[in-house]
């Protein structure tokens, strides 16, 4: 790592600092949650891993799983994976008490899914309307 930031030799951000279950950084040397792999997974494995993390109350980590896929997927699938990552960010904001941020990011996820639907690309077994409505219920139900 370079200097005081969690960067690799090429300057890319890395997950060296421990974090809590909502992704908040903890002091170095603290025990945080297990970081997720920074290696992309195939689509079905990405969804399975992210779903398991959501079930464990770790939406920030689920976001990271989706983000790795989003940054490495075929160009025509980016809106899908970006939208899924944004749903997890919205859930993270809500869990941290940032209701306004949760609502705004969920709106961006909804827009990403709308753009993706037009392409008729694969959803890998996900019903995107159910994803959004489930997140919306969780966000509104937390208030």
């Amino acid at each position: 790592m370079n200097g005081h930031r969690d960067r690799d030799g090429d300057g890319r951000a890395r997950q060296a600092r421990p974090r809590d279950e909502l992704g908040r950084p903890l002091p170095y040397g603290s025990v945080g949650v297990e970081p997720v792999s920074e290696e992309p997974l195939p689509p079905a494995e990405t969804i399975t891993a992210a779903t398991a993390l959501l079930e464990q109350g770790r939406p920030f980590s689920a976001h990271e799983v989706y983000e790795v896929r989003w940054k490495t997927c075929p160009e025509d699938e980016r809106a899908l994976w970006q939208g899924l990552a944004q749903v997890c960010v919205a859930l993270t904001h809500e869990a941290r008490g940032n209701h306004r941020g949760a609502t705004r990011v969920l709106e961006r996820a909804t827009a990403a899914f709308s753009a993706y639907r037009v392409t008729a690309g694969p959803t890998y077994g996900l019903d995107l309307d159910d994803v959004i409505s489930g997140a919306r219920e969780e966000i509104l139900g937390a208030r």
Side-chain angles (χ1 to χ4, degrees), residues 61-143:
S61 296
H63 145 264
E64 289 183 321
V65 170
Y66 282 133
E67 186 175 59
V68 169
R69 181 76 194 157
W70 159 32
K71 291 183 176 182
T72 60
C73 72
E75 180 68 33
D76 59 345
E77 291 185 13
R78 291 231 167 125
L80 170 67
W81 301 108
Q82 182 181 29
L84 291 167
Q86 288 170 326
V87 166
C88 295
V89 171
L91 295 171
T92 300
H93 280 302
E94 185 61 40
R96 290 178 178 177
N98 180 359
H99 309 302
R100 185 174 182 176
T103 301
R104 286 188 171 176
V105 176
L106 191 59
E107 289 170 5
R108 290 199 300 264
T110 302
F113 288 164
S114 292
Y116 189 67
R117 277 189 194 92
V118 173
T119 71
T123 59
Y124 302 100
L126 294 173
D127 181 320
L128 301 182
D129 290 329
D130 285 350
V131 170
I132 290 295
S133 64
R136 188 170 283 120
E137 286 176 23
E138 189 165 333
I139 288 168
L140 295 176
R143 296 180 188 174

Side-chain angles (χ1 to χ4, degrees), residues 15 17-25 32-39 41 45-69 81 84-93 95-96:
Q15 302 176 37
R17 189 165 179 183
R19 295 187 176 269
D20 71 7
E21 67 281 352
L22 295 177
R24 294 174 290 222
V33 296
E34 184 72 25
V36 298
S37 173
E38 294 182 29
E39 294 299 317
L41 299 169
E45 290 178 42
T46 298
I47 293 166
T48 298
T51 300
L53 289 163
L54 287 167
E55 290 170 354
Q56 295 169 27
R58 295 180 57 192
F60 180 82
S61 296
H63 145 264
E64 289 183 321
V65 170
Y66 282 133
E67 186 175 59
V68 169
R69 181 76 194 157
W81 301 108
L84 291 167
Q86 288 170 326
V87 166
C88 295
V89 171
L91 295 171
T92 300
H93 280 302
R96 290 178 178 177

